[in-house]
Amino acid sequence: MPSPTETLRLIHGNLNSTTVAADALAIPITHKVVVKTTGGDAEALTLVDGVPGQTLTIQLGTDGGGDGTLTPTTKTGFATIVFADAGDQMTLQFINGTVGWVILGGSGV
């Protein structure tokens, strides 16, 4: 069975993806897919504004025991997203500086 990252690659094809280590709190907006590892404690994840029309998929690839709670700078329709278990993922789209990030879909979060 493929890993969560391999599954994303199969679904989306050749991805522009990156990984983020445990205790690194900023989610980069420079890639289409971000695979996050959480540490053993709670992590307050941040997400700055993107570019209008930009989509971003965030996935918890490795669960180190702590939850990652994402709070984007600008968002509409939600307050936070909690990544608690390996495989949890969410796809967001940035609309503009007023609306911010909106949820397109996800699983497990």
Side-chain angles (χ1 to χ4, degrees):
M1 184 165 151
S3 72
T5 302
E6 291 167 335
T7 300
L8 280 174
R9 288 183 195 281
L10 291 172
I11 292 170
H12 296 286
N14 186 13
L15 290 176
N16 179 11
S17 65
T18 191
T19 58
V20 177
D23 300 320
L25 303 179
I27 299 297
I29 61 169
T30 54
H31 295 77
K32 292 181 181 183
V33 176
V34 175
V35 180
K36 176 74 174 106
T37 295
T38 56
D41 54 351
E43 295 183 2
L45 307 177
T46 61
L47 179 63
V48 298
D49 288 353
V51 176
Q54 176 181 1
T55 59
L56 175 65
T57 298
I58 304 164
Q59 181 185 58
L60 183 55
T62 303
D63 179 5
D67 293 349
T69 301
L70 177 69
T71 306
T73 301
T74 310
K75 69 240 175 239
T76 296
F78 67 99
T80 62
I81 300 169
V82 179
F83 296 87
D85 299 310
D88 287 358
Q89 71 177 21
M90 185 61 62
T91 300
L92 305 171
Q93 183 174 37
F94 188 78
I95 304 303
N96 60 38
T98 302
V99 175
W101 293 99
V102 296
I103 295 174
L104 293 181
S107 63
V109 293

